[in-house]
Amino acid sequence: MAKIGRFITFEGGEGTGKSTQAKRLAAALEARKISCLVTREPGGSPGAEEIRSLVLKGDPARWNPLTEALLFYAARADHTERKIKPALADGKWVICDRYSDSSYAYQGGGRGLARETVRRIEAIAINDFKPELTLILDLPVEIGLKRSIARQGNIETRFEEMDVAFHERMRKTFLDIARRHPDRCVVIDAGQDIDAVADAVWHTVKTRFRLK
Ligand code: TYD
C-alpha cells in the first residue's frame, strides 16, 4: 500500500509568522526528499477561497459568531475533502497555515461561541479529522497586532480590527488547547528571531516523526 503523508498545522494569533514558518518547514522536509503541500485557511481550494473573502473582508460585526463558524467550516470541509485528503493519500506531507483550532480560538474564545457548539459543527463538517501535529506560535497580542497591521495593502482585516480583549481571549484559548491536547500540540515562542523559531519547529518535527 502507498505511504500516507503526515498532516501538520500551524496555529497562533495575528502576526506570529505562521506562513513564513510553514514555508521554512516545507523547505527543510523537501531537502530530505519528503514531498510537501503547503496550504492555508480560510481558503486552500477554489470554493474555500471564495468563502475567504466573505469572512475576512468588511465590517467586524458583519456576521454573528454562529454564521461565521459555519462559513469557516464550510470552507474547511471543501478544503479537506478536495485538497488535504487527496494530497495525504498521494503520500505528501500537508502543512496547513491554520485549521480547526483557529475556529475554537477565534469563533469560540474570541467571539464567545460555546466550545460544544464548535465541536458539534466540527463533527459534522470534517468528521473530527485532526492534524497529527499542531505547532502553536505564541506571541504577546500587542506585538503580533503591530506586526500584522504593518503589512502593506492588506484589506482582509476583519479580525485585526477586533479589540485587544478579543485577541487576548483568542490567545488564551490556543494555550488552553495546547494544555488539553499535549500529545498533538507544541507551543513555540514566536518572539524569538525567525531562524530560532524555524529551529524550534524543525527540532519538534524531527523528534515527533523520528526523522534523521
Ligand atoms: P490571514 O490573512 O490568513 O491572517 P493570518 O496571517 O493571521 O493567518 O487571515 C485569517 C484570519 O481568519 C485570521 O484573523 C484568523 C481568522 N480565522 C478565524 O477566525 N477562524 C478560522 O477558523 C480561521 C481558519 C481563521
Side-chain angles (χ1 to χ4, degrees):
M1 209 183 82
K3 203 168 176 298
I4 304 282
R6 306 286 198 173
F7 183 29
I8 301 172
T9 57
F10 279 90
E11 296 281 4
E14 308 298 313
T16 52
K18 296 179 305 315
S19 53
T20 306
Q21 294 299 334
K23 284 186 214 128
R24 294 273 300 247
L25 173 60
L29 290 167
E30 298 271 0
R32 280 170 172 71
K33 308 261 178 296
I34 295 173
S35 157
C36 297
L37 169 75
V38 179
T39 185
R40 64 144 185 207
E41 290 206 347
S45 63
E49 289 290 333
E50 286 193 42
I51 298 173
R52 177 181 174 95
S53 60
L54 292 177
V55 282
L56 297 193
K57 290 181 191 165
D59 192 85
R62 179 175 186 189
W63 307 109
N64 72 28
L66 177 63
T67 311
E68 192 174 286
L70 290 166
L71 286 168
F72 276 108
Y73 274 103
R76 183 163 302 130
D78 191 74
H79 182 215
T80 304
E81 287 308 315
R82 297 187 182 203
K83 196 156 172 193
I84 296 175
K85 286 187 177 174
L88 291 171
D90 202 26
K92 288 202 173 68
W93 286 38
V94 176
I95 301 168
C96 193
D97 180 353
R98 295 193 183 280
Y99 196 65
S100 217
D101 296 314
S102 279
S103 294
Y104 284 90
Y106 281 77
Q107 284 64 56
R111 301 217 57 203
L113 203 59
R115 186 171 66 205
E116 177 58 14
T117 305
V118 180
R119 200 198 59 73
R120 286 165 67 191
I121 300 171
E122 177 183 46
I124 293 169
I126 55 170
N127 200 13
D128 295 324
F129 185 65
K130 291 260 187 290
E132 291 168 78
L133 173 65
T134 296
L135 300 146
I136 299 177
L137 303 191
D138 181 57
L139 194 64
V141 163
E142 320 80 71
I143 300 177
L145 278 175
K146 243 184 233 150
R147 282 193 195 168
S148 66
I149 286 163
R151 274 183 218 155
Q152 291 290 311
N154 186 8
I155 53 164
E156 295 177 333
T157 55
R158 239 191 101 229
F159 288 96
E160 282 161 9
E161 287 174 36
M162 302 222 179
D163 60 22
V164 171
F166 168 92
H167 291 273
E168 295 287 3
R169 290 194 298 276
M170 172 272 286
R171 181 185 186 201
K172 184 176 170 298
T173 309
F174 276 128
L175 296 176
D176 286 346
I177 291 170
R179 266 191 292 275
R180 293 162 63 94
H181 302 284
D183 295 345
R184 175 172 66 87
C185 301
V186 175
V187 178
I188 291 180
D189 173 8
Q192 315 169 75
D193 67 52
I194 290 180
D195 289 340
V197 177
D199 285 349
V201 167
W202 180 242
H203 175 75
T204 304
V205 170
K206 209 173 142 191
T207 310
R208 181 66 56 108
F209 298 111
R210 298 198 175 88
L211 300 173
K212 297 254 159 50

